[in-house]
Amino acid sequence: MTTTSIIIVPGWRDSGPGHWQSLWAERLPQARRVVQDDWITPTRSAWVGQLEKTVLAAPHPVVIVAHSLGCIATSHISAEAAERICGALLVAPADPERRAILSDFAPVPYAALPYRSIVVASSNDPFCPIRLAGAYARAWGSEFVRMQNAGHINVDSGHGEWPLGWALLQSLEGDRAEGSAHWSGAVQASPAAA
C-alpha cells in the first residue's frame, strides 16, 4: 500500500482556526503545514522556497492542498520539487495582478502541471474572477470544479469542514492508495454536498 504526505499550503495571511485547511491538518496524521516567516507581506522567493523545502523533506509522494495565494506559490515551484508531487487540490486561487501586496507572484505560470490537479473556484470569489480561475485550470491541465456563490471558499464564506473539498482530496489521495486505511474515519461527501 502506498502512503502519501499531505502538504497544506495556506494563502495570504494564513488559514486560521475553523478554516477547512486547519481542520484537515488536525484530522490528517500525515499532513504537514507550510509555515511562512511573513504571512502579511509575501515574497515569491521566500514563499516558494519554504514550500519547496517542505515538499522535498516529505517522506512520501506529496499531495498538495493549497488555498488562494498558496495555489499560485505551488504553480511557481521548481521541477525538482514538482517531481515529488502526485496530486494537488488548488482551491480559490488568487489573482496577484489585482492586489499590489501579492504582485511579486505575477506573472502566474501558464504551463501544464506535471501531476493530477483539481482547481476549485467560486462564481463570486472577491479575490479572483471565475474566468481567470478557469484560465488557470486550462493552462495547468487541471480538472475544474466551479462552485456557485461560494465566496473565497473560507471561513468567511461558511466553509469550515467543507465536505466537497474533503471528497476531492480523497479522490486525489485515492489515486495513490485505493482503500487506504487512514481514510476510514473520513466524512463521505458527494459533489452535491457543496
Side-chain angles (χ1 to χ4, degrees):
M1 186 181 319
T2 306
T3 305
T4 57
S5 294
I6 305 292
I7 295 184
I8 294 175
V9 189
W12 182 43
R13 297 183 176 173
D14 199 2
S15 297
H19 190 289
W20 55 269
Q21 282 188 315
S22 300
L23 297 173
W24 294 5
E26 294 168 8
R27 181 188 292 179
L28 296 166
Q30 79 278 31
R32 294 195 60 204
R33 186 183 187 109
V34 176
V35 178
Q36 300 293 349
D37 290 332
D38 187 347
W39 290 107
I40 305 304
T41 313
T43 62
R44 183 168 72 188
S45 62
W47 273 47
V48 174
Q50 190 62 30
L51 172 55
E52 289 174 346
K53 187 188 311 180
T54 306
V55 167
L56 293 171
H60 306 289
V62 168
V63 174
I64 295 283
V65 177
H67 183 255
S68 193
L69 190 60
C71 300
I72 307 306
T74 299
S75 75
H76 280 289
I77 66 170
S78 68
E80 179 189 8
E83 286 177 7
R84 299 287 327 279
I85 299 172
C86 60
L89 180 61
L90 306 169
V91 181
D95 177 2
E97 295 180 13
R98 288 171 60 108
R99 295 186 78 93
I101 192 78
L102 309 182
S103 64
D104 193 38
F105 290 78
V108 175
Y110 274 75
L113 300 174
Y115 43 80
R116 181 178 172 214
S117 58
I118 302 170
V119 170
V120 182
S122 167
S123 62
N124 67 340
D125 188 332
F127 303 112
C128 183
I130 191 75
R131 279 190 214 127
L132 179 59
Y136 289 157
R138 284 188 299 280
W140 296 339
S142 306
E143 298 162 52
F144 187 55
V145 177
R146 177 190 169 124
M147 296 179 66
Q148 269 312 106
N149 303 319
H152 196 47
I153 313 175
N154 59 5
V155 174
D156 292 343
S157 61
H159 294 86
E161 283 288 338
W162 191 38
L164 171 60
W166 185 258
L168 293 170
L169 175 59
Q170 285 182 341
S171 80
L172 286 169
E173 179 62 280
D175 284 354
R176 295 291 304 171
E178 286 296 332
S180 180
H182 64 264
W183 288 110
S184 61
V187 174
Q188 295 298 314
S190 69

